[in-house]
Amino acid sequence: MEETTTPAPETAGKDFIREIVEDDLKSGKHAKIATRFPPEPNGYLHIGHAKSICLNFGVAREYGGTCNLRYDDTNPLKEDVEYVDAIEADVRWLGFGWNGKYYASDYFGRLYDFAEELIRRGKAFVCDLTADEVRATRGTLTEPGQNSPYRDRPVEESLDLFRRMRAGEFADGSRTLRAKIDMASPNINLRDPALYRIRKAHHHRTGDDWCIYPMYDYAHAVSDWIEGITHSLCTLEFEDHRPLYDWCLLALGLENRPRQIEFARLNLTYTLLSKRRLLHLVTGGHVRGWDDPRMPTIAGLRRRGYTPEAIRDFAERIGLAKRDSVVDVALLEHCLREDLNRRAPRGMAVIDPVKVVLTNWPEGVVEELEAVNNPEDPSAGTRKVAFGRELFVERDDFREVPPPKYHRLSPGNEVRLRWGFIIRCEEVVKDADGNVVELRCTYDPTTKSGEAGAARKVKGTIHWVSAAHAVPAEVRLYDRLFTREDPNDAPEGQDWLTNLNPASLEVRQAFVEPALAMGVPGAYFQFERLGYFTVDADSVPGKPVFNRSVGLRDTWAKIERKGRAA
Ligand code: ATP
Ligand code: MG
């Protein structure tokens, strides 16, 4: 994997694609620009696609142009309508709408006609070599390839064979339509590449209408042209294909040709961004599905609690480059944290509870304390939180023998309960095995938060829930899905799956304050001191399920500070 990059905190000026677009508008080359986002419906979109979506739709929006959603559905074997529906939902959720929605398969008729035109122009021929024979004659990076013996067959013969290919007369793999370019080209993509292949397969949209299917480079270039795309933005691996893209359109004598521009694809540490790999995780049962909150898919990120705003902010911060690099996943987390810090209502939840009994609080008395919903957003208001004699606090907020500088609960020590009172631990109750089961404490009635007596200060404040009011909840704590920064980097003799983190999901039974239990799936909260959580779709009334979206500690902010200091 390449070096991990630290993007500049603020993007300096415009990226190179926006510069090109501006120049083209200024020079009058285009009065209006047109882009497209062209997913192949063979899997769910991931965060890498989000970068491409934000770019294509974003540029169109910024410069008053249009952006189409086009399904690159030229490979009938791997594609499915399930994916089509998921892709649309994801693009919309990210906050974008398309001008036109098209399918490359809509153009199969026109693509076929253009292919006949290439044959008539002497630019393409039907080749009877098998795939193995084509491979054997393609040459290498240092050696030229050999011309196919069928390269110079008469136009009429190629036309006839191509029509019969289409009519289903020949077996899969027995013939191809090939471009006639240059078998000695240093660019192997130009060594008479296939434009059409025979594949007697059912297509999810065109059914059995076709038994020949266009190859990606040809279909992509011509589809872009049909839609009047001006800037065809794609990832760097297509740089070597650009001459073929241009060739297809030039060989057909087409004008107003789109310009292909490549940018670096997104790579993220501890993450795999390949639909093939992600599909493998799903079908192999390594995750619960495409929308498992550990998945880098947009559906997974959404279920994890990511917001479209956070993802768009991330796409903006990483910017665009012409060289591949790896972005630290901590930056993605940072973007979510920043967004949720501004917007998420706060609440209290205890994930690993130990009981506190306030011995000087009268039995049966409940007091409603006033709690601020979001200190970052005064308009979020306040709420009432019930407080009584029995509470739960985090087991980790008590130490029988406190380490130095431990300012939470310990025998004889005082701590403030958030929005409540100062309490002192008077007695520790243990079971027969020596486990702490109850902390008997006293509270100081003069120390209620927000009141005059509250001026008395102690060093620590901890969160809590009222035992009589708290709602039991399942909490799912997620960790990275892979243990290695580059999940593809497997130890000798093992594959990438050995890098799966066996502890990527931990399920806990927690108690949450009632306000948190009212959230509908997708609602997000900050559990005070614990992190940001979202309500999962698995929730049922009275038994909410929460996903931890991201913790509170910001490793990215640290990286950024270090970067600035350096
Ligand atoms: P994968 O390798 O994950 O299967 P793909 O490139 O085959 O991805 P497509 O459906 O063909 O997936 O991609 C649609 C668009 O999204 C393309 O323009 C592609 O370049 C872009 N894209 C895919 N992955 C990334 C990525 N990691 N970063 C940026 N853009 C990407
Ligand atoms: Mg692809």
Side-chain angles (χ1 to χ4, degrees):
M1 230 185 206
E2 303 82 358
E3 206 180 311
T4 306
T5 52
T6 305
E10 288 151 68
T11 333
K14 298 227 153 50
D15 58 70
F16 70 100
I17 289 181
R18 286 174 171 84
E19 263 170 23
I20 292 172
V21 165
E22 279 191 12
D23 286 350
D24 288 348
L25 286 170
K26 233 179 268 161
S27 72
K29 181 178 178 196
H30 302 294
K32 207 170 170 181
I33 62 147
T35 59
R36 84 288 169 267
F37 172 64
E40 187 182 353
N42 62 348
Y44 279 60
L45 299 180
H46 52 60
I47 183 76
H49 295 111
K51 174 178 180 178
S52 177
I53 291 169
C54 290
L55 172 65
N56 280 293
F57 287 95
V59 164
R61 187 182 281 176
E62 286 157 43
Y63 294 96
T66 57
C67 181
N68 289 344
L69 175 61
R70 181 193 330 131
Y71 294 104
D72 242 325
D73 56 349
T74 52
N75 185 350
L77 294 181
K78 293 194 226 148
E79 296 160 2
D80 200 279
V81 279
E82 176 199 348
Y83 300 134
V84 169
D85 296 340
I87 288 168
E88 275 168 43
D90 288 347
V91 173
R92 282 195 197 284
W93 179 78
L94 275 175
F96 298 104
W98 40 90
N99 292 88
K101 181 176 84 180
Y102 302 106
Y103 295 81
S105 56
D106 291 340
Y107 310 137
F108 280 170
R110 294 178 74 184
L111 290 165
Y112 176 85
D113 292 342
F114 276 127
E116 281 204 357
E117 177 63 18
L118 283 175
I119 299 172
R120 278 192 293 271
R121 288 172 173 244
K123 305 276 189 192
F125 64 99
V126 169
C127 180
D128 302 358
L129 297 182
T130 63
D132 283 341
E133 289 165 334
V134 168
R135 212 169 298 123
T137 52
R138 189 156 34 216
T140 63
L141 284 175
T142 49
E143 279 167 60
Q146 298 151 34
N147 282 352
S148 160
Y150 306 98
R151 196 175 202 262
D152 294 318
R153 73 181 358 154
V155 165
E156 283 313 316
E157 193 177 309
S158 273
L159 264 183
D160 175 57
L161 286 168
F162 189 48
R163 286 172 187 158
R164 288 165 61 196
M165 276 169 66
R166 179 198 168 158
E169 283 187 34
F170 308 122
D172 281 16
S174 61
R175 285 186 168 83
T176 51
L177 179 72
R178 293 176 71 182
K180 200 187 282 188
I181 309 180
D182 179 7
M183 288 305 291
S185 171
N187 183 341
I188 293 186
N189 294 304
L190 295 181
R191 294 187 186 171
D192 293 3
L195 301 177
Y196 265 89
R197 61 185 162 173
I198 305 172
R199 182 143 293 176
K200 294 187 170 135
H202 190 82
H203 186 279
H204 71 103
R205 292 194 77 239
T206 57
D208 298 315
D209 290 353
W210 294 87
C211 61
I212 57 171
Y213 289 95
M215 301 301 287
Y216 179 84
D217 289 305
Y218 169 72
H220 196 76
V222 177
S223 302
D224 277 350
W225 181 85
I226 290 174
E227 290 176 21
I229 301 304
T230 56
H231 299 82
S232 179
L233 312 178
C234 63
T235 36
L236 275 181
E237 68 269 25
F238 291 103
E239 194 170 12
D240 290 344
H241 296 243
R242 190 186 339 127
L244 177 55
Y245 179 99
D246 292 337
W247 180 92
C248 289
L249 301 176
L250 278 166
L252 285 165
L254 299 174
E255 284 173 17
N256 300 320
R257 290 182 298 280
R259 171 173 176 188
Q260 175 179 309
I261 308 169
E262 307 86 16
F263 61 94
R265 62 190 293 127
L266 170 67
N267 299 298
L268 265 186
T269 56
Y270 299 99
T271 311
L272 279 177
L273 296 181
S274 143
K275 278 186 280 190
R276 206 162 47 86
R277 289 277 153 94
L278 297 178
L279 176 65
H280 193 97
L281 290 176
V282 173
T283 53
H286 303 288
V287 293
R288 286 181 53 191
W290 283 102
D291 68 346
D292 187 299
R294 292 165 291 184
M295 289 281 271
T297 51
I298 296 177
L301 292 168
R302 175 166 60 231
R303 190 162 182 181
R304 176 74 170 258
Y306 270 81
T307 60
E309 289 82 356
I311 294 176
R312 291 199 304 260
D313 178 36
F314 172 72
E316 201 170 302
R317 281 164 182 257
I318 56 176
L320 290 177
K322 290 189 226 188
R323 269 192 37 213
D324 275 318
S325 66
V326 185
V327 174
D328 194 325
V329 71
L331 174 60
L332 179 63
E333 294 167 352
H334 173 77
C335 292
L336 179 61
R337 212 177 269 120
E338 277 212 341
D339 186 34
L340 293 180
N341 181 43
R342 279 190 293 267
R343 300 197 291 161
R346 273 55 170 172
M348 292 192 285
V350 174
I351 290 183
D352 186 10
V354 63
K355 189 176 257 185
V356 164
V357 177
L358 302 178
T359 52
N360 60 340
W361 186 279
E363 303 251 10
V365 171
V366 173
E367 188 166 336
E368 302 259 278
L369 301 175
E370 173 118 327
V372 173
N373 284 332
N374 184 354
E376 300 287 323
D377 175 13
S379 75
T382 60
R383 69 185 185 285
K384 299 280 189 218
V385 190
F387 185 89
R389 182 177 157 93
E390 297 200 350
L391 314 169
F392 290 118
V393 301
E394 298 286 346
R395 192 164 283 277
D396 193 45
D397 282 335
F398 169 78
R399 294 288 164 83
E400 194 160 20
V401 183
K405 293 197 184 149
Y406 185 86
H407 299 305
R408 294 174 258 169
L409 266 185
S410 55
N413 201 35
E414 282 189 324
V415 77
R416 172 170 287 284
L417 296 176
R418 182 82 158 145
W419 312 121
F421 300 88
I422 292 174
I423 64 169
R424 178 200 305 276
C425 178
E426 310 284 0
E427 190 189 341
V428 180
V429 182
K430 295 183 185 175
D431 65 12
D433 299 326
N435 301 311
V436 175
V437 290
E438 192 177 299
L439 303 172
R440 298 181 73 78
C441 302
T442 51
Y443 85 105
D444 177 349
T446 69
T447 58
K448 189 166 155 188
S449 284
E451 285 184 3
R456 190 160 87 78
K457 282 209 167 92
V458 286
K459 284 216 167 116
T461 299
I462 64 173
H463 62 276
W464 52 274
V465 293
S466 161
H469 302 89
V471 178
E474 178 177 318
V475 167
R476 298 175 181 167
L477 305 175
Y478 297 100
D479 197 355
R480 299 191 160 124
L481 191 50
F482 293 96
T483 52
R484 282 205 188 212
E485 198 169 299
D486 177 0
N488 278 315
D489 176 22
E492 188 75 34
Q494 295 180 309
D495 73 1
W496 57 280
L497 287 169
T498 61
N499 292 329
L500 274 171
N501 178 4
S504 59
L505 168 61
E506 192 188 333
V507 178
R508 305 286 283 272
Q509 301 306 320
F511 289 107
V512 303
E513 67 164 277
L516 298 179
M518 314 254 282
V520 295
Y524 43 75
F525 297 102
Q526 185 195 90
F527 288 6
E528 297 220 34
R529 298 176 67 228
L530 297 176
Y532 294 97
F533 290 75
T534 189
V535 182
D536 190 84
D538 286 345
S539 297
V540 290
K543 188 71 204 284
V545 176
F546 290 93
N547 296 318
R548 182 171 64 196
S549 312
V550 67
L552 292 176
R553 223 189 40 206
D554 196 334
T555 49
W556 179 257
K558 231 192 280 166
I559 295 168
E560 231 179 1
R561 273 196 301 276
K562 250 193 259 158
R564 266 203 297 270

